[in-house]
Every structure is written in structure tokens, then in C-alpha cells.
Amino acid sequence: MKSIVVANWKMNPQTFRDAKKLLEGTKKAVESAKTISVIVAPPALYLRELKVLGGRKLSFAAQNAHAEAGGAHTGEIAMAQVKDAKVSHVLIGHAERRAMGESTEDAKRKLASALKEGLTPIFCVGETSRSAAGEHYTFVREQLSALRDVPQQKLASILIAYEPVWAIGAEKPMSPRDMHQMGIFIRKVLVEMHGEKAMKVKILYGGSVDATNAVQMVTEADVDGLLVGRVSTNVDTFAALLTALQEA
Ligand code: PGA
């Protein structure tokens, strides 16, 4: 099965030595999963060296970067610096960044800055909780408004990762059926905003994905791929996930 898998290592592993080991294992797993495009998002400090070691089969993403081109922003990295490390993708608005106070306005500025540098944004959205009244749709619509000013010709290069916050780091993912509905909703909002060109945007699901649920999510929820946290930081569990997808 053809799909995209983003391996979000978050703040792991603890040492560069272990990061290299994890990358080696990931590379091996990717070699036997030919139809899957894997994008590894390691901690920023490891990014440049891992990119060199990654070879041609792997793409890389920064987990975050700042909207400004440079200047007095202690602790931040710039989109241009990500680009300079030959990294192709950048996560924008991950739930764990939003929990630290990142807003839709921040996401909007980061999207503009990433696209200006020629990086592919992996734009994360997702509600913190669900209600019978369907307020989560309003919540996600507001987050998606960050895409309003994106030039239409750039839409095809954007990945949207829908990750309901309540399913991140949880026991199980959202049901594929609910993801299917959310995928349709996201597409509808984007088409309202940008017309038919929005059909080209790729939509990924994230939140407690593993080898036992990945295939069902990709087939039944009709998503273009998955964003994987915990399972991507262990070679065995990640290889099992890629094998399951590859054989589906
Ligand atoms: P998880 O994390 O797979 O550990 O739930 C997903 C994410 O936050 O990217």
C-alpha cells in the first residue's frame, strides 16, 4: 500500500548514539517497505547529522521552526536553517506545541515562512475533546483558517496531520469511521477556502497508531498516511508497522 509515514521522535532518544542506532534500524525497515515514504522528525540538535546519515530513501522534518527569518529568538531555529540542513519538511502546530501556547496566528506565520523557504509543511490540527454537539468541528475549522492565505499553487505540497489531542499518547486511536468523517470535513473546509485545488492536499492521521491499527486506518479512513509518535522510537515496533502497511 502506498502511504506516507511521519516518524515523530519528539524529545527522544536521550543520546545521539541512540539516535544513530534508531536511524539505522529505521533505514533498514524502510528498505523493505518500498511503497511507503517515511519522513523522520528527530530533535533539532540531531537533524543535520542524521540527514547526512539518512541516505536517499528517507526524508526529514524539523519538529518546529520559528516564523521569523532570524534575530533575537533565543532557543529557536529558523526555517532557513532547516532548509540549509537539507531537510525538506517541517511540523507546524503540533498539539504539544499548541499546548505551550502556539496559536492559529503563529501557525499562519510559520506556514508562510516555511513555504517561502521551499519547505513542505506538515500542518497539525486536532481538537482537545469531543462533544455530542460537534464543537470539535468548529475547533478544527478555526485551526484550518491558518491556511487561508496559502497561495493556491502551493496547496499540493502541504500535508495536513489531523491528530485529535485525546488520542495522542493514548491506548488506542480514533475509530477509522470517525477519521473518515473528519477527513471529509477537512477537505470541505479547504475546498470552501481554496476551491478544487484543495483536493490535492494530503491528509494524515496521528494518535496512537501502531502495527495493529495502521492498515485499518489507512484503508477505512481513506487517509494518505500516518503520523506516528511512540511506535516510531522503537525499531521493532516501527518496523512492524511498516511491514503491516507494506503488505496490506
Ligand atoms: P503517539 O503520538 O503516536 O505516541 O500517540 C503521536 C503524535 O503526537 O505525533
Side-chain angles (χ1 to χ4, degrees), residues 6-10 91 94-96 124 161 163-165 167-173 205-210 227-233:
V6 182
N8 179 14
W9 291 2
K10 308 194 179 184
L91 287 168
H94 187 277
E96 286 147 17
C124 306
E163 300 197 289
V165 179
I168 296 176
E171 268 175 36
K172 54 184 176 57
Y205 168 81
S208 299
V209 170
D210 64 24
L227 200 161
V228 185
R230 283 158 296 168
V231 157
S232 72
T233 60

Side-chain angles (χ1 to χ4, degrees), residues 86-132:
K86 309 262 185 305
V87 167
S88 51
H89 292 67
V90 58
L91 287 168
I92 294 178
H94 187 277
E96 286 147 17
R97 305 286 320 168
R98 291 186 191 263
M100 286 187 267
E102 276 191 24
S103 64
T104 295
E105 187 52 35
D106 294 326
K108 192 173 161 183
R109 292 172 60 239
K110 288 182 180 198
L111 281 162
S113 172
L115 291 170
K116 187 161 164 268
E117 290 301 333
L119 294 170
T120 299
I122 306 169
F123 178 49
C124 306
V125 297
E127 76 281 358
T128 41
S129 60
R130 291 209 150 194
S131 70

Side-chain angles (χ1 to χ4, degrees), residues 155-232:
L155 279 176
S157 72
I158 291 182
L159 303 175
I160 295 187
Y162 170 72
E163 300 197 289
V165 179
W166 48 270
I168 296 176
E171 268 175 36
K172 54 184 176 57
M174 181 166 85
S175 79
R177 189 195 158 90
D178 287 347
M179 180 58 222
H180 191 241
Q181 277 178 359
M182 184 49 89
I184 292 170
F185 175 76
I186 291 173
R187 188 84 58 204
K188 180 172 149 266
V189 171
L190 295 178
V191 169
E192 275 167 24
M193 224 183 260
H194 288 292
E196 286 303 303
K197 285 232 163 67
M199 297 305 284
K200 296 219 168 99
V201 176
K202 292 198 165 60
I203 301 176
L204 316 179
Y205 168 81
S208 299
V209 170
D210 64 24
T212 68
N213 55 43
V215 172
Q216 200 192 6
M217 189 57 88
V218 173
T219 48
E220 293 178 20
D222 193 24
V223 289
D224 300 292
L226 303 162
L227 200 161
V228 185
R230 283 158 296 168
V231 157
S232 72

